[in-house]
Amino acid sequence: MQEFGEVGGQPTLLVVHGLFGAGRNWRGLARNLAKDRRVVTVDMRNHGESFRDESNTYRDLARDLAKVIDEVGAPCDVLGHSMGGKAAMVLALEHGEQVNRLIVADIAPVPYEHSQISNVEVMKCIPIDQLTRRSEADEMMAERIPEPGVRAFLLQSLILSPDGNRWALNLDALEANMADIVGFPEVSGRFTGPALFLRGGKSPYVREAHRPRIESLFPNACLLYTSDAADDN
């Protein structure tokens, strides 16, 4: 957990990263948002420097976030992206007293058909103990992951160290839990607080067809579309 700014007149903002990410991905935004409030970023379980666990369901992640909020002080405003957006939604639905306002970036409370297993498989195939430069891994990944931006994002989690190279990801757990990660759990109840759903104009992750599901769970939701923005994660 990393904190920016100081407690002010607004609730603490908790920022929750997406799959294969880490709290560090949000440092720049967190610093900008911390001018009049405290902003907290976290590494989710099995990501970054957080703890490792065999399970990675959204109820797991929501309980982890609830513990963070207990520590920093409830209620918090919560901003979640991708996997973190789903975790934030489950947090709001099942621990609603801890969430003041909810912001969900480019994801909906629905299961998706795509999988990130192929990216996990590529990362697991890299002989990281033989690497001396990150560019070597990039060359190995290029045949199966042609998009330079995707490779660069994944390689942020490759730690090259004299003490031993490693991934800052529990790839085995993410692979085993991928069905849960691309899915969305059965939930009851609703979050009646303010909720903002952001969608990149070129992104396929939040569609107009998802609006009824969003509004059934988040009756005070507002959907905002940003043109010329796409999701690479």
Side-chain angles (χ1 to χ4, degrees):
M1 184 173 71
Q2 189 170 7
E3 298 186 21
F4 303 84
E6 299 179 355
V7 177
Q10 299 191 61
T12 296
L13 174 64
L14 175 63
V15 181
V16 192
H17 66 80
L19 180 63
F20 304 135
R24 66 176 180 274
N25 300 139
W26 292 84
R27 285 176 185 166
L29 178 64
R31 290 190 181 97
N32 288 333
L33 294 175
K35 295 174 182 177
D36 59 353
R37 65 162 70 197
R38 177 174 57 172
V39 179
V40 174
T41 63
V42 292
D43 287 351
M44 301 291 278
R45 66 167 62 197
N46 297 316
H47 291 73
E49 300 305 317
S50 191
F51 68 96
R52 278 21 184 175
D53 195 276
E54 292 181 357
S55 184
N56 203 90
T57 71
Y58 284 114
R59 286 194 167 90
D60 294 331
L61 301 181
R63 283 191 292 266
D64 294 343
L65 295 175
K67 292 178 182 177
V68 172
I69 293 175
D70 284 339
E71 182 177 343
V72 303
C76 285
D77 290 341
V78 181
L79 164 61
H81 169 249
S82 184
M83 180 190 76
K86 286 189 173 182
M89 285 188 275
V90 176
L91 170 72
L93 291 167
E94 299 194 343
H95 307 269
E97 72 285 351
Q98 292 186 300
V99 179
N100 181 53
R101 291 174 292 188
L102 175 68
I103 308 99
V104 179
D106 220 38
I107 204 75
V110 297
Y112 291 88
E113 296 180 357
H114 73 279
S115 174
Q116 298 287 347
I117 285 290
S118 61
N119 287 332
V120 174
E121 292 173 344
V122 171
M123 286 186 279
K124 290 180 72 172
C125 287
I126 300 298
I128 60 174
D129 56 323
Q130 301 175 19
L131 300 178
T132 58
R133 298 185 305 276
R134 189 170 277 103
S135 60
E136 296 169 346
D138 185 65
E139 292 175 3
M140 295 178 188
M141 297 170 72
E143 183 175 345
R144 293 184 60 184
I145 304 177
E147 303 89 347
V150 175
R151 297 198 305 273
F153 175 72
L154 297 175
L155 287 169
Q156 289 183 56
S157 293
L158 177 60
I159 309 300
L160 302 180
S161 169
D163 298 326
N165 300 336
R166 62 184 177 89
W167 289 105
L169 298 164
N170 184 348
L171 295 175
D172 289 337
L174 298 179
E175 182 177 41
N177 288 270
M178 190 58 67
D180 287 307
I181 293 170
V182 300
F184 194 79
E186 291 294 328
V187 291
S188 60
R190 301 185 302 169
F191 175 71
T192 58
L196 175 63
F197 284 74
L198 301 173
R199 175 199 170 186
K202 296 181 179 179
S203 171
Y205 290 103
V206 182
R207 302 172 182 170
E208 190 62 27
H210 297 150
R211 182 184 289 270
R213 176 62 170 168
I214 292 171
E215 292 179 343
S216 70
L217 296 176
F218 307 93
N220 288 316
C222 175
L223 278 67
L224 178 64
Y225 295 82
T226 57
S227 61
D228 298 325
D231 189 301
D232 293 324
N233 185 16

